[in-house]
Amino acid sequence: MTMGNLLHGLRARGKKKRRAGVGRPAHGEQRIAVIGLGRFGSSLAAELMARKWDVVGLDENERRVQRHRDLLTHTAVADATDDEVLRQLGVHDFSSAVVAIGSDVEASILVTSNLLEAGVPNVWAKAISRQHGMILERLGAHHVVLPEHEMGERVAHLVTGRMLDFIEFDDDYALVKTIAPRVATGVPLGETGVRATYGVTVVGIKRSGQDFTYATAETVVQPGDVIIVTGRTQAVESFAELE
């Protein structure tokens, strides 16, 4: 079967299943399957365990599964491209599943399709390229992540500017952690004109030795304070570059 035929068939199956499964309630709260225990899947699974989720880790590689046996709630050597295997493992009763498969694009697509057909309420899928991500979105994956691309973009912002942290959302909206520029200091935020002039909003502030706190119109930012700023991506980037 060619990749084109595969995608055509999977799209049709996914659409049919989603129409039939509309309104299905979520089951298996706080239980998640992580399929693929490479670097990304392993790190994700460990973090979920730390957050008190029940994590089932699946991988075809027996050595990887052995490494995680004592770290996760349950592990299994399994071929998740086989929908019957997923059904036997009860994955369809989970509230969420993550397809963390790395370089095998065809396997990633097949597993994602199987999870959607099983009616898993929240399917997250890792993509290794924008094209791969578009395919997963067209199949119906609820969330698609490109960890390497997103981390590279984030680090680039930190390396090339004055930002201390940067998070961008899908709709050209970003949140930035930065040292307060002079234009935002010395008077209450409501009097600085920051929002009207620069198109950004200061939502949080942290002084040395203190915790972060919400910023209000009455908050007076001091030189050296760390602030959290939100707004359109270009606007917060420009604001973070101010001295």
Side-chain angles (χ1 to χ4, degrees):
M1 177 184 294
T2 67
M3 179 64 78
N5 290 336
L6 170 70
L7 290 175
H8 178 76
L10 289 179
R11 286 180 191 134
R13 290 160 58 195
K15 289 176 182 177
K16 180 179 179 182
K17 188 66 178 186
R18 288 195 300 280
R19 284 197 297 269
V22 170
R24 174 180 173 177
H27 299 287
E29 290 299 325
Q30 298 296 103
R31 297 180 68 205
I32 187 167
V34 176
I35 302 169
L37 295 174
R39 284 177 295 180
F40 174 72
S42 176
S43 176
L44 173 65
E47 181 63 27
L48 289 166
M49 287 293 294
R51 293 170 183 259
K52 309 302 182 185
W53 278 62
D54 289 332
V55 181
V56 173
L58 308 178
D59 200 293
E60 282 190 299
N61 187 303
E62 185 173 359
R63 187 174 300 175
R64 285 180 180 172
V65 172
Q66 289 286 348
R67 282 203 305 266
H68 292 82
R69 174 168 291 180
D70 298 325
L71 304 177
L72 306 181
T73 309
H74 181 71
T75 57
V77 179
D79 177 9
T81 63
D82 186 336
D83 57 354
E84 184 58 31
V85 169
L86 292 178
R87 191 164 297 280
Q88 289 174 1
L89 290 169
V91 173
H92 59 287
D93 285 328
F94 286 30
S95 62
S96 302
V98 179
V99 183
I101 296 171
S103 59
D104 191 337
V105 173
E106 184 171 346
S108 166
I109 293 168
L110 283 168
V111 174
T112 301
S113 176
N114 288 341
L115 294 170
L116 292 169
E117 286 205 334
V120 177
N122 292 294
V123 176
W124 294 74
K126 172 189 174 183
I128 60 174
S129 67
R130 289 197 179 278
Q131 183 182 31
H132 182 197
M134 289 174 62
I135 292 170
L136 294 170
E137 288 174 349
R138 289 170 184 167
L139 281 177
H142 306 109
H143 311 276
V144 175
V145 295
L146 290 88
E148 287 87 357
H149 171 81
E150 290 166 1
M151 181 54 70
E153 186 176 53
R154 183 181 180 190
V155 171
H157 278 88
L158 305 184
V159 169
T160 60
R162 300 178 66 246
M163 302 177 199
L164 303 176
D165 207 348
F166 173 88
I167 300 174
E168 185 173 20
F169 303 94
D170 289 341
D171 52 355
D172 188 35
Y173 194 81
L175 183 149
V176 165
K177 175 181 174 184
T178 187
I179 301 295
R182 281 195 296 269
V183 295
T185 64
V187 296
L189 283 172
E191 298 176 18
T192 61
V194 163
R195 183 181 297 181
T197 304
Y198 300 99
V200 302
T201 302
V202 179
V203 296
I205 177 176
K206 183 182 188 304
R207 293 207 167 96
S208 179
Q210 300 181 22
D211 294 330
F212 266 107
T213 185
Y214 294 109
T216 69
E218 290 74 39
T219 299
V220 178
V221 178
Q222 301 297 337
D225 286 349
V226 174
I227 58 175
I228 301 296
V229 180
T230 64
R232 293 291 181 185
T233 301
Q234 187 173 356
V236 296
E237 288 175 341
S238 297
F239 184 76
E241 291 302 315
L242 296 174
E243 295 290 342

